[in-house]
Amino acid sequence: MENLLSDKWDVKPKHAPEEALQRWRDLCGVVKNPKRRFRFTANLSKRYEAAAMRKTNQEKLRIAVLVSKAAFQFIQGMQPGDYTVPEEVKAAGFEICADELESIVEGHDLKKLKFHGGALGISEKLATDPTNSISTGPQSLSCRRSIYGTNKFEETEPQSFWVFVWEALQDMTLMILGVCAFVSLIVGTATEGWPKGAHDGLGIVASILLVVFVTATSDYRQTLQFRDLDKEKKKVSIQVTRNGYRKKMSIYHLLPGDMVHLSIGDQVPADGLFLSGFSVLINEASLTGESEPVMIGADNPFLLSGSKVQDGSCKMLVTTVGMRTQWGKRLATLIEGGDDETPLQVKLNGVATIIGKIGLVFAVVTFAVLVQKMLGRKWHDGTTFTWSGDDAMELLEYFAIAVTIVVVAVPEGLPLAVTLSLAFAMKKMMNDKALVRHLVACETMGSATNICSDKTGTLTTNVMTVVKSCICMNVKDLSGPGSDKALRAELPESVVKILFESIFNNTRGEVVVNRSGKRKILGTPTETAILEFGLSLGGDFQGERRASKVLKVEPFNSTKKRMGVVLELPEGEGLRAHTKGASEIVLAACDKVIDLEGKVIPLDEGSMSLLKAIIDQFAGEMRFRNRDMFV
């Protein structure tokens, strides 16, 4: 069978071109039931609609940027148009409506934004505190929802069981069998009377109904299973500040006025405005098709939902949610477009097509042989031109046999079966707390023989702690009780000050206090471990943040393998840069080191060799290592 499948049936596991997806559909030709065969494959017509919408958005954004640049030159000399706040918005305690917010972000309208006082002015009109964000009182949140809506998107209504019954009846062979049953009932009743003459016809009808209801039940249960999986896939959380507390929250609970914290890899959950941040690059390819990232800052503060943070981190003010966002306007066509089919699904479609053609040939040959036999017998009996009701029933029986061969031979449910098995695998993995977002991942993992990982936490509990450190050329084991206090006692105060300054400022993590008064550390396992280490030495996160002003942040990425921050020291002491990352890369950039007395000394060859040996030792122990080198 593999030899019969040409390379035209080959598709890539990810990002297969539209031409390849269309090619194998064309090869399938006429199938028994297209609705059932292609139920869980990508809808290419919807894909084309989404691509056209993306192209339109790209043109709109391009024009908006050009118009904004031109208008910006005349802003000083032009009077902004009057804006009237709708009465219901004003009565709710807000000073700007959802339509105005949508037009500002969608059109990248700097003129309107400046007219409303910039991002901070918008936050005031949304009754948002620049520090504490919105109030979490039930009445306040309910009022926002009623005025601005929620961050939920329209979804296609689930199909009822009877829709699957109707789709199962669309099977071509079942239609032919239905015609056979009707003719059999007419001829049988006319020749043998009721009910004897109707036995064959009613038997065919019963068989059709049995096949239809079994198929519909199977498909309906499968759809329910996919719906459950889809709910799990949509459980996406993001860091949000509300009522002065930073916490994780579902993106579907966001409201205009919320302050969202974005970092590398995050998807922008709603349309909004840049408030503060450093080196923010946004990839808008999913919206505009442009591969070049867009720099976001005070000059270009517009963030569109569906885009991704490629570099940097920032705080965003949510302005537009739900179907008003750019992503919401495209989501319907994207959902209807469906996910790409897996290579195994395509191959099984090919197998079903080939077997179907072979089955059709045998059905035609069988029917021809039986008819030839019947005609030969009638020729021998001299009744070639005399036909009775029995002859018609016999001919109809031969036709039913041929149709039955097609029904049995063509495995129309074969591609559907592999989809069901992959969905079952996803369900089993979900029960083990392992969420797989794409069916193709189950197919790929099914053929994996070895799993290699170099990231601590991937195959463990995802909780990290500092167990050994090298500070001021001194290696200290921190796994024992009281070891952190002993380390603090050994270090000079000047070193501790710089250490705290680095740990609490050069981080993407956060130390917050929840409503119950308990301290909570937010961030990646690595950042959490370093912050926990700093707190165990007696550091004050909020105090260190207030003591220094951050001037520049270089976020971590896989290319540089390090991150850094530039601070303006209090009382005019100047600037200081802190960096952390891969030990060997940070060490290669150093030419001085702080000793146990707190003095800055040159990093000679002996000290360099000692530090390299310590790095190798830490790596060999397969434990987490924490190293801060200061230039």
Side-chain angles (χ1 to χ4, degrees):
M1 184 59 70
E2 186 68 26
N3 295 330
L4 295 176
L5 294 173
S6 63
D7 55 357
K8 294 182 179 180
W9 295 96
D10 291 332
V11 297
K12 296 179 180 179
K14 287 185 178 180
H15 310 300
E18 303 290 342
E19 296 79 10
L21 299 179
Q22 185 62 51
R23 184 174 61 235
W24 77 261
R25 285 166 173 76
D26 296 337
L27 290 174
C28 286
V30 179
V31 297
K32 293 197 303 177
N33 193 340
K35 287 188 177 181
R36 188 162 184 262
R37 170 78 78 91
F38 303 121
R39 177 177 294 135
F40 292 107
T41 56
N43 189 329
L44 296 185
S45 62
K46 293 296 181 181
R47 293 277 186 91
Y48 298 144
E49 289 181 24
M53 187 178 295
R54 183 174 61 188
K55 188 175 181 181
T56 303
N57 286 343
Q58 180 180 358
E59 188 65 21
K60 283 182 179 179
L61 290 174
R62 188 181 67 83
I63 293 173
V65 170
L66 292 176
V67 172
S68 298
K69 287 181 179 178
F72 186 72
Q73 300 175 8
F74 299 96
I75 285 177
Q76 300 297 332
M78 295 177 62
Q79 294 295 326
D82 294 332
Y83 168 69
T84 304
V85 183
E87 289 299 326
E88 64 271 15
V89 176
K90 190 181 297 184
F94 307 111
E95 298 177 35
I96 190 168
C97 67
D99 291 335
E100 182 75 358
L101 289 169
E102 180 183 352
S103 66
I104 291 173
V105 179
E106 182 178 2
H108 286 51
D109 198 329
L110 287 171
K111 179 184 174 183
K112 277 188 179 180
L113 182 62
K114 187 173 182 180
F115 170 70
H116 288 289
L120 291 178
I122 295 288
S123 68
E124 290 179 7
K125 294 186 176 185
L126 284 170
T128 299
D129 185 274
T131 304
N132 298 325
S133 188
I134 65 176
S135 171
T136 55
Q139 187 174 359
S140 172
L141 296 180
S142 177
C143 186
R144 283 183 188 273
R145 292 190 190 99
S146 62
I147 297 296
Y148 299 107
T150 58
N151 199 34
K152 293 183 179 179
F153 307 101
E154 293 180 2
E155 298 180 357
T156 54
E157 293 185 3
Q159 294 179 328
S160 68
F161 173 75
W162 298 108
V163 173
F164 291 95
V165 171
W166 174 250
E167 287 187 358
L169 283 169
Q170 306 305 307
D171 194 301
M172 189 186 303
T173 53
L174 293 183
M175 292 180 182
I176 296 172
L177 287 176
V179 173
C180 291
F182 178 75
V183 174
S184 178
L185 281 171
I186 298 298
V187 175
T189 304
T191 56
E192 300 183 31
W194 180 272
K196 184 178 179 180
H199 288 171
D200 291 343
L202 292 176
I204 297 175
V205 171
S207 301
I208 292 173
L209 291 177
L210 179 64
V211 170
V212 166
F213 278 96
V214 169
T215 302
T217 302
S218 173
D219 292 351
Y220 182 64
R221 291 180 61 185
Q222 184 177 348
T223 303
L224 291 178
Q225 190 175 22
F226 269 88
R227 199 180 305 163
D228 291 341
L229 289 171
D230 195 48
K231 288 181 181 177
E232 292 294 326
K233 288 160 64 174
K234 290 181 179 179
K235 290 182 179 178
V236 181
S237 298
I238 199 161
Q239 297 282 347
V240 179
T241 295
R242 270 191 183 180
N243 212 25
Y245 297 100
R246 182 170 167 177
K247 60 181 180 179
K248 272 190 174 183
M249 191 173 69
S250 171
I251 62 172
Y252 301 105
H253 295 159
L254 289 177
L255 295 171
D258 271 323
M259 289 185 178
V260 176
H261 302 266
L262 299 173
S263 57
I264 295 177
D266 288 339
Q267 179 169 310
V268 181
D271 289 356
L273 297 171
F274 172 88
L275 289 176
S276 61
F278 299 92
S279 308
V280 182
L281 286 177
I282 298 292
N283 187 335
E284 296 181 349
S286 60
L287 293 173
T288 65
E290 291 289 345
S291 58
E292 289 296 321
V294 179
M295 178 67 76
I296 300 296
D299 297 333
N300 180 31
F302 306 105
L303 291 156
L304 301 178
S305 64
S307 56
K308 286 192 174 182
V309 182
Q310 186 168 314
D311 200 1
S313 59
C314 69
K315 186 163 66 173
M316 178 188 87
L317 174 70
V318 176
T319 58
T320 315
V321 294
M323 297 306 294
R324 290 180 177 273
T325 65
Q326 290 296 303
W327 185 250
K329 292 174 182 177
R330 293 189 58 230
L331 194 62
T333 51
L334 288 174
I335 291 175
E336 292 177 9
D339 296 328
D340 286 349
E341 49 271 14
T342 70
L344 182 58
Q345 283 177 303
V346 176
K347 287 291 180 69
L348 288 178
N349 267 290
V351 170
T353 301
I354 293 171
I355 294 177
K357 291 178 180 178
I358 296 173
L360 183 61
V361 170
F362 275 96
V364 171
V365 170
T366 302
F367 181 71
V369 169
L370 291 174
V371 171
Q372 187 273 337
K373 177 184 176 183
M374 178 183 176
L375 292 176
R377 187 182 71 246
K378 291 181 69 63
W379 176 269
H380 184 269
D381 295 339
T383 58
T384 305
F385 300 102
T386 305
W387 291 78
S388 63
D390 291 338
D391 293 334
M393 288 295 294
E394 184 178 357
L395 191 62
L396 187 64
E397 183 180 348
Y398 292 160
F399 185 72
I401 291 173
V403 174
T404 303
I405 292 174
V406 175
V407 172
V408 174
V410 179
E412 196 71 8
L414 186 60
L416 217 57
V418 68
T419 307
L420 180 60
S421 63
L422 291 175
F424 179 75
M426 289 178 69
K427 191 75 174 179
K428 294 287 287 184
M429 294 181 72
M430 191 170 63
N431 292 337
D432 294 333
K433 308 300 181 185
L435 176 60
V436 180
R437 295 186 180 274
H438 302 285
L439 281 177
V440 68
C442 283
E443 181 180 315
T444 305
M445 288 298 294
S447 58
T449 55
N450 293 283
I451 300 176
C452 303
S453 174
D454 63 351
K455 178 173 168 52
T456 304
T458 305
L459 301 177
T460 58
T461 59
N462 209 26
V463 176
M464 303 174 71
T465 56
V466 178
V467 296
K468 185 175 284 190
S469 68
C470 177
I471 303 174
C472 299
M473 306 286 290
N474 182 36
V475 177
K476 186 75 174 180
D477 191 341
L478 301 173
S479 57
S483 56
D484 48 357
K485 294 180 180 179
L487 176 63
R488 171 67 187 267
E490 294 177 5
L491 297 176
E493 281 302 315
S494 60
V495 173
V496 173
K497 180 182 177 182
I498 296 177
L499 185 62
F500 287 161
E501 196 177 87
S502 173
I503 290 176
F504 296 129
N505 285 289
N506 190 20
T507 179
R508 290 193 321 208
E510 193 93 12
V511 180
V512 298
V513 178
N514 58 25
R515 292 185 179 181
S516 59
K518 293 183 178 179
R519 187 178 65 193
K520 187 176 182 181
I521 302 177
L522 304 175
T524 64
T526 306
E527 297 282 9
T528 301
I530 297 176
L531 289 173
E532 186 67 47
F533 172 63
L535 293 173
S536 68
L537 294 179
D540 179 7
F541 179 84
Q542 299 298 341
E544 290 293 337
R545 285 293 183 95
R546 289 191 296 267
S548 303
K549 180 181 178 182
V550 178
L551 298 180
K552 175 72 174 176
V553 173
E554 281 295 327
F556 181 89
N557 61 45
S558 58
T559 303
K560 296 180 295 186
K561 294 185 173 61
R562 65 179 182 181
M563 67 179 292
V565 62
V566 178
L567 304 178
E568 181 181 352
L569 301 180
E571 300 178 3
E573 295 180 14
L575 305 178
R576 180 176 290 152
H578 297 276
T579 184
K580 71 177 179 183
S583 306
E584 58 279 3
I585 292 178
V586 175
L587 179 61
C590 296
D591 60 359
K592 295 181 178 64
V593 66
I594 301 177
D595 62 12
L596 276 173
E597 296 179 359
K599 297 178 180 178
V600 179
I601 60 174
L603 188 60
D604 54 25
E605 291 186 8
S607 300
M608 183 73 77
S609 299
L610 175 61
L611 289 173
K612 287 181 178 179
I614 294 173
I615 292 174
D616 293 338
Q617 176 193 347
F618 282 11
E621 292 176 358
M622 295 298 291
R623 289 181 170 184
F624 174 78
R625 63 184 184 272
N626 172 37
R627 181 184 306 282
D628 291 286
M629 307 295 292
F630 309 104
V631 182

